[in-house]
Structure formats: C-alpha cells, structure tokens
Amino acid sequence: MSLPHPLDRPVWSALTSRQAALSIGDARALRFDPAWALFGAAADASPGNLQALTDLNTSPHGLGLVETGETHLPPGARVRSQAPCVQMTASTLTAGGRDLAFEPLGEADAADMLALATLTVPGPFFEKTHRLGDFIGVKQDGKLIAMAGERMRPAGFTEVSGVCTHPDHRGHGYASALMRVVTQRILERGEEAFLHAYAAHAATIALYETLGFNVRTAITYTVLDGRQP
C-alpha cells in the first residue's frame, strides 16, 4: 500500500515539517498561528482529534481546511464557505516570459502588502503572512502595485501564493511574471512548486498551465466560522 502524498493534506504536512515552529496545538490537531495563516488540520478524522481541532478554532477569522477526498468537519463546526479547488504542481517552467523589474519585499513593506492583499483578496492574508516565505513585488512611484510569494512549505514542496495586482495596474502581465520568478527560485532549491485555484476559474487555471503547472488533484477548501474561547 502506497503512502499518502504529502500534498493530499498540505496543511498537516507543512505544520509537521518545515513550518512546525508556526503551529499551535499538539499531535491530535494543529493550526497556524492566526497572525500568520488561516489553516489547520487534525491528525486524522477520529472524534478526539476533530474535537482537538475544534478547540483550536478560536480566531475571529475562523479556520481553513484544505483536504483531498471527504472533508471531515469538527463537532459543532459552522461552515462559512466551501469551494471545490484544484491543486497544481510544477517541476519545470515553460520557456518564455517577460523581463520585469521587481524587488524583494520585507518588513518595511508589510503594511503595503497587507493593504494590497486586503484590496485584491488573493487568499487569506494577515499581519505576519508575509513572513511565511520570500515575497517579491513591483512598485510604481514607490507604491506597491503587484506581488507574489510563498506560503505553505511541506518538506520538498513550496506553495506559490499571495499573487495579486492592484486593479488599476492589471493587464500588464505582472502576476505571471512574478509567479515565474517565485516558481523558478523554488525549483532551483530542488523543491517542487504547488498552488491552489478555484475549480470554477478556468481562465486562471489556463494561465497557470502556460507557466508549467499541471492539475495534480481535486481538493476542497473549507472555511469554518471561528468559535469563542
């Protein structure tokens, strides 16, 4: 019997490997510190472990589950949203792409990164999300107008995430160009890049395919309302 693929449960894989230092919980269930990310996972679907996950769901932002197959909800969970997604991976990049003047983003850019992500909603982005991995961006007249970076990091894999462009500056290829840079850096480290896209967003999936990403599996993204401690 083959072992489960680490990306079948990317949250659990990340929090029990390279991002364990960012986790809250124990062997039954783990979640990212809410200042960093929305996501959590139980060790398995046993009642005790799902209850432990419920006990971690105290952030007002709620809790995000990213799972292949059936999503097992913790007791008392209230689903805020649930959407079918695809998980895509890349071990090589396609040829081509445009040259782009970009710069690394860091602590000095944190407020601007959060503001851009809040405006464009590329995915959950919080006070310390920019610290999950390397981020790069494009600025115009000192204003951040586009960015891309890294999020979950299971052993051997890094997720491309936080890809967004200010609405006033779309249509110039910033997102795909930044994604190329982020993905190339991941591959040069000897890792495989992955990302998630809503299954209904055919144009987005097609864009990722032009970069070299291929659909690996269907996956479900569920957001639960937060519980009061």
Side-chain angles (χ1 to χ4, degrees):
M1 183 176 179
S2 60
L3 294 174
H5 193 286
L7 295 186
D8 286 348
R9 309 193 67 225
V11 179
W12 185 257
S13 296
L15 291 176
T16 53
S17 59
R18 293 193 294 165
Q19 291 173 309
L22 306 180
S23 67
I24 297 173
D26 54 33
R28 300 170 299 163
L30 296 167
R31 71 161 297 158
F32 278 95
D33 182 317
W36 295 72
L38 184 72
F39 308 108
D44 56 36
S46 64
N49 290 346
L50 290 176
Q51 180 60 54
L53 185 60
T54 293
D55 295 341
L56 295 175
N57 185 18
T58 57
S59 167
H61 297 294
L63 186 69
L65 311 178
V66 184
E67 305 274 351
T68 57
E70 181 182 359
T71 299
H72 298 278
L73 298 178
R78 294 176 298 182
V79 176
R80 180 183 304 169
S81 63
Q82 189 169 65
C85 296
V86 294
Q87 184 183 81
M88 306 179 73
T89 58
S91 54
T92 59
L93 276 171
T94 56
R98 57 166 289 189
D99 292 330
L100 181 70
F102 64 88
E103 55 187 273
L105 301 177
E107 290 301 320
D109 304 294
D112 291 339
M113 296 169 73
L114 181 58
L116 181 59
T118 300
L119 175 67
T120 58
V121 197
F125 205 98
F126 303 110
E127 176 187 355
K128 297 182 180 179
T129 301
H130 66 282
R131 299 181 186 176
L132 289 172
D134 293 334
F135 276 81
I136 58 174
V138 177
K139 295 182 181 179
Q140 187 174 97
D141 299 325
K143 179 181 178 181
L144 182 65
I145 62 172
M147 69 177 182
E150 303 170 350
R151 188 167 62 185
M152 287 189 279
R153 306 179 71 177
F157 302 88
T158 294
E159 182 185 21
V160 179
S161 187
V163 182
C164 55
T165 303
H166 192 283
D168 294 342
H169 298 276
R170 290 173 179 163
H172 300 286
Y174 294 141
S176 59
L178 290 173
M179 284 184 67
R180 278 188 176 276
V181 176
V182 172
T183 302
Q184 183 63 41
R185 291 179 173 182
I186 293 169
L187 300 181
E188 288 174 351
R189 297 198 300 257
E191 302 170 16
E192 190 168 353
F194 74 104
L195 54 78
H196 298 102
Y198 289 109
H201 292 185
T204 301
I205 294 169
L207 169 64
Y208 296 158
E209 289 175 335
T210 67
L211 300 176
F213 285 85
N214 295 290
V215 174
R216 178 188 164 265
T217 188
I219 202 160
T220 302
Y221 173 41
T222 305
V223 179
L224 306 179
D225 281 335
R227 298 172 63 254
Q228 295 301 314

